[in-house]
Amino acid sequence: MAAAAQKDIPVGDLTSQQAGAELARLAAEIADHDKRYYQDDQPTVSDGEYDALRRRNSDIEARFPDLVLPESPSGRVGSAPAERFAKVTHAVPMLSLGNAFDDDDVGEFCDRIRRFLGLDPEEPVIMTAEPKIDGLSASLRYEAGRLSVGATRGDGQEGENVTANLRTVEDIPVRLSGAEVPEVVEVRGEVYMSHADFAALNERQAEAGKQIFANPRNAAAGSLRQLDPSITAARPLRFFAYAWGEMSKEPFATQSEAIGELANWGFQTNPLFRQCADVAEMLDVYRTIEAQRATLGYDIDGVVYKVDRLDWQKRLGFVSRAPRWAIAHKFPAEQATTVLNDIEIQVGRTGQLTPVAKLEPVTVGGVVVSNATLHNEDEIARKDVRVGDTVIVQRAGDVIPQVVSVVSEKRKRHAVAYVFPDRCPACDSLAVREINPKTGKHDAARRCTGGLICPAQAVERLKHFVSRNALDIEGLGSKQVEAFYAEGDITQPADIFTLAVRDGEALKKLKDREGWGDASVRNLFAAIDTRRGTGLDRFIFALGIRHVGETTARLLARTYGSVDDFRGAVEAARNLESEAFQDLVAIDGIGEVVAEAVVAFFAEEHNRSAVDALLAEVTPQALEAADTSSPVAGKTVVFTGTLERMTRSEAKARAEGLGAKVSGSVSAKTDILVAGPGAGSKLKKAQELDITVLSEDDWLELIGNA
Ligand code: IVH
């Protein structure tokens, strides 16, 4: 009981004896959280709670300076490196940043700088402001312009050597471009993962029964710390450069010039970087960036301000683990603690049962959250989430809220472990975990076996059909689909297109129903009509065939050109020994799993008749043919090394516009490898396979704009 009370005693009331015990407790607790965060990538407390522990620790240390422990968390950044990688000693330590939590803290930070430098009140102090990227920092050492060592921060003094992994990150040049590259330079910045890539990765992980990452930061950390670089290469990591360590000469005088130079050398720098003349401007940038936070597409947790003049930065120097010339102005935490009232099972369009946490509503990062995903059965078991538990929920940008962990100290004594249902809550059919024929393991997802008789699956299929990336029918959202299905007015996609002719005939007039009026009915029918000529790619995607996402649908649409040819080919492929099936699998990007799913869909009589009924109403349009006259039309191209005259994305977009297919890896199917400086294993492989290798200039000449 004494310990429980002690941790709640305000710092000002602690006796020296209590303070000593508190410091020891906090050191152990913070070290424990550090390990979970940095080494296991599995934090168990919110950032806010963690910051509070560190703050309490420094407040006690400030009051009792004699009691500061040798292992005090304030002298340490993060935690010691994990054992698996070789260690790298940073030539210049990688330090951390002090925090500002409100506008006053920012004002005080600027005052401190003025005082320290002894500046006149009129003397302008230009500051810079940029987002604080929520990833993990890395230091990249270049010697003679070539990447020699890439390391994580580790404890700030010593990190892990992850060079092979960092080389696979597309935003990290293996060779620097530009004339004024110093002989030795360590470029520092943040490795991170975008929201879209994070969501797709977790979906792949869930499908494969592998670890689900709690947030993009943990996914990036886990991906970077892979012992096998080919795993890192398959993870979509990105990098923003914002600082530097050792540098043999410094060809710039301000932070802003440095950022410009990093961009010249081939790095991505953050587009929201700004110079500010005073505190008001700094706070202005803070609010502007905060307003964009949810739509940036990657996690940021604050804004970093830095003194622009580097001579001043040098004079200001460092105090304990942070520079005096920079500070992080944090955003309010996007994690919160709440109570899990219930676990609801939702049935997806392919029958997958997804557990959803029904929460006591709580504000997370300015948005009220009452539902959060629990991913699947194994995740519930791994986190041991029980109804009635106090849980930490997290919202990262526009990623679906999720339950991160349980606050185990607050568990009720009678809470029982959650038992995942083995029957579908919608149709009561058996729900099973299929065995993956390839791995021999159980799928992570439990699926309803009710198939076509399951009403939940039918509604979800319809919702998918009208959704934004499928037929995109305005005015027909999830709510409307549910209502029409419940009334029996729309039970399959074709019914959507006959709604207008049946209105007032077979059905109760729509405009007389609740929620509808003349105008909204007219708009709906008009929106439906415009979709009768939808693109073949959207049409195929809309059918909701298992494993056929947008990219695969586009690939199928491009390959077959018309809906008749597509269907003809797929139905001919019913026999898995047939040539038609071999042709389907041979399409680059379509594996056996996808091919079998497409075949299985059309083997089902009910699906065939639903598609027939639909095709009586809609005529899918072939995709606009890519430019077939170009010399690279139909060719598979791979880009590698540093491109000097355009960015990688620009090169890709141009090649695709000319009808080429751009691939990330070299195989026997590759026609052309465009190799810039620094090309490595891909170039070697292409040479082995006798594939045409072009320089960037040769390539530009070939496509006609040298
Ligand atoms: S500057 C010596 N700028 O935040 C100061 N850091 O909490 C070097 N971070 O270790 C850091 N975005 O991992 C800086 N725009 C940014 C940043 C940034 C994210 C991270 C970095 C640092 C941590 C400090």
Side-chain angles (χ1 to χ4, degrees), residues 246-494:
E246 186 183 342
M247 184 135 32
S248 50
K249 68 169 192 228
E250 235 177 53
F252 32 67
T254 62
Q255 185 75 27
S256 326
E257 281 170 27
I259 296 297
E261 200 57 18
L262 290 175
N264 286 339
W265 293 345
F267 290 96
Q268 301 295 326
T269 55
N270 196 284
L272 301 176
F273 180 93
R274 293 284 177 277
Q275 278 182 318
C276 307
D278 52 28
V279 176
E281 275 190 35
M282 291 158 73
L283 297 176
D284 215 40
V285 175
Y286 175 85
R287 308 224 194 287
T288 311
I289 293 179
E290 189 179 24
Q292 294 182 59
R293 186 180 186 188
T295 52
L296 281 181
Y298 51 88
D299 277 352
I300 60 174
D301 55 354
V303 170
V304 182
Y305 308 119
K306 299 173 187 168
V307 172
D308 201 25
R309 275 178 60 166
L310 300 183
D311 56 340
W312 282 352
Q313 286 192 4
K314 288 194 186 86
R315 276 175 60 195
L316 285 155
F318 298 84
V319 55
S320 91
R321 62 192 179 109
R324 279 197 198 82
W325 45 266
I327 200 162
H329 189 179
K330 300 291 275 276
F331 291 138
E334 293 225 310
Q335 284 193 339
T337 303
T338 188
V339 173
L340 174 78
N341 289 330
D342 198 6
I343 295 177
E344 189 181 282
I345 304 292
Q346 286 182 355
V347 187
R349 68 185 158 84
T350 59
Q352 181 167 337
L353 305 191
T354 304
V356 176
K358 309 305 278 183
L359 306 165
E360 196 55 41
V362 60
T363 307
V364 192
V367 173
V368 178
V369 170
S370 46
N371 293 320
T373 180
L374 284 162
H375 297 290
N376 58 42
E377 189 169 347
D378 292 344
E379 280 294 299
I380 297 186
R382 195 175 64 74
K383 293 177 184 152
D384 186 20
V385 177
R386 304 180 181 193
V387 171
D389 274 351
T390 297
V391 292
I392 294 170
V393 288
Q394 167 170 281
R395 223 190 103 248
D398 52 3
V399 175
I400 309 165
Q402 47 189 321
V403 172
V404 182
S405 59
V406 172
V407 183
S408 42
E409 307 86 72
K410 296 204 178 155
R411 168 159 292 162
K412 303 249 167 54
R413 220 164 349 116
H414 303 294
V416 287
Y418 181 74
V419 182
F420 205 90
D422 61 359
R423 297 219 159 245
C424 171
C427 69
D428 205 36
S429 300
L430 212 56
V432 299
R433 290 178 70 167
E434 292 163 15
I435 302 227
N436 182 322
K438 290 239 170 70
T439 59
K441 287 195 198 142
H442 279 291
D443 275 347
R446 191 173 280 277
R447 281 174 204 281
C448 157
T449 54
L452 300 167
I453 67 137
C454 178
Q457 289 188 43
V459 174
E460 292 307 315
R461 279 197 297 270
L462 285 166
K463 286 185 194 167
H464 170 77
F465 186 82
V466 302
S467 66
R468 192 147 53 99
N469 297 337
L471 271 270
D472 190 21
I473 301 179
E474 210 173 309
L476 198 54
S478 296
K479 258 205 219 112
Q480 290 80 3
V481 167
E482 276 170 19
F484 281 125
Y485 186 85
E487 291 291 322
D489 297 337
I490 296 180
T491 59
Q492 58 165 333

Side-chain angles (χ1 to χ4, degrees), residues 95-97 130-133 137 153 190 242 304 306 323 325:
L95 295 162
S96 187
L97 291 170
E130 66 199 285
K132 182 169 189 297
I133 316 296
S137 47
R153 181 173 67 173
E190 205 81 354
Y242 52 67
V304 182
K306 299 173 187 168
W325 45 266

Side-chain angles (χ1 to χ4, degrees), residues 592-614:
E592 245 170 63
V593 176
V594 175
E596 282 177 24
V598 176
V599 167
F601 181 89
F602 283 99
E604 175 64 57
E605 166 55 29
H606 180 93
N607 289 338
R608 281 206 305 275
S609 67
V611 173
D612 286 338
L614 183 58

Side-chain angles (χ1 to χ4, degrees), residues 633-669:
K635 299 265 198 287
T636 299
V637 183
V638 176
F639 292 95
T640 189
T642 311
L643 298 182
E644 285 162 333
R645 297 177 54 185
M646 57 193 152
T647 64
R648 195 59 79 83
S649 359
E650 191 182 343
K652 182 164 187 263
R654 250 165 58 210
E656 284 173 348
L658 292 168
K661 186 174 166 297
V662 179
S663 166
S665 57
V666 173
S667 74
K669 288 182 189 154

Side-chain angles (χ1 to χ4, degrees), residues 219-233:
S223 302
L224 192 59
R225 298 246 228 42
Q226 290 291 332
L227 286 178
D228 175 0
S230 71
I231 299 183
T232 311

